Amino acid sequence: MKKRDIIAAAVILLAAFGVWGAGRLLSSGRPGQLVITVGGDVYGTYPLDEDQEISIGDTNICRIQDGQVSMTWADCPDQVCVHTRAIENGGGTIVCLPNRIVLEIEDASGDEEKQQEDAPDVVAS
């Protein structure tokens, strides 16, 4: 390798880390939100920065803890949703097909009043 190749590689790496770091800084100030849909209808919207356990009807329970969301209980036979890894602010989805429930992380929209309005059945954690 020549000296120019090493310098070019270093510049490319620095630029890549700069873009990555800027993206992390911009997104870290705004915690995302969990949107729960049941049968295609929005069931509720919950902030990721508040630890809580949410009952979704009589069929599922999910938990928001330390900015991560996981399905902790489901009455479905296969339990795929319960064994799915936790999702967090970077995005992700957990689906319970038998109960038609989707947990999805979205960017925060700043609509705090709507989030509280749409947030039914919160169980104390």
Side-chain angles (χ1 to χ4, degrees), residues 19-98:
V19 170
W20 175 77
R24 298 273 297 171
L25 284 174
L26 291 175
S27 67
S28 66
R30 298 182 338 177
Q33 59 188 12
L34 169 65
V35 178
I36 301 174
T37 56
V38 179
D41 298 325
V42 175
Y43 181 82
T45 304
Y46 307 86
L48 289 181
D49 58 354
E50 182 180 325
D51 291 355
Q52 56 187 312
E53 197 165 83
I54 304 158
S55 292
I56 308 167
D58 295 332
T59 61
N60 295 65
I61 298 174
C62 73
R63 177 178 292 140
I64 301 173
Q65 186 171 10
D66 301 326
Q68 296 186 332
V69 178
S70 58
M71 190 73 77
T72 57
W73 183 84
D75 69 354
C76 57
D78 58 13
Q79 299 289 295
V80 171
C81 58
V82 174
H83 298 296
T84 301
R85 72 173 185 83
I87 56 177
E88 54 190 330
N89 201 25
T93 305
I94 297 175
V95 179
C96 181
L97 285 176

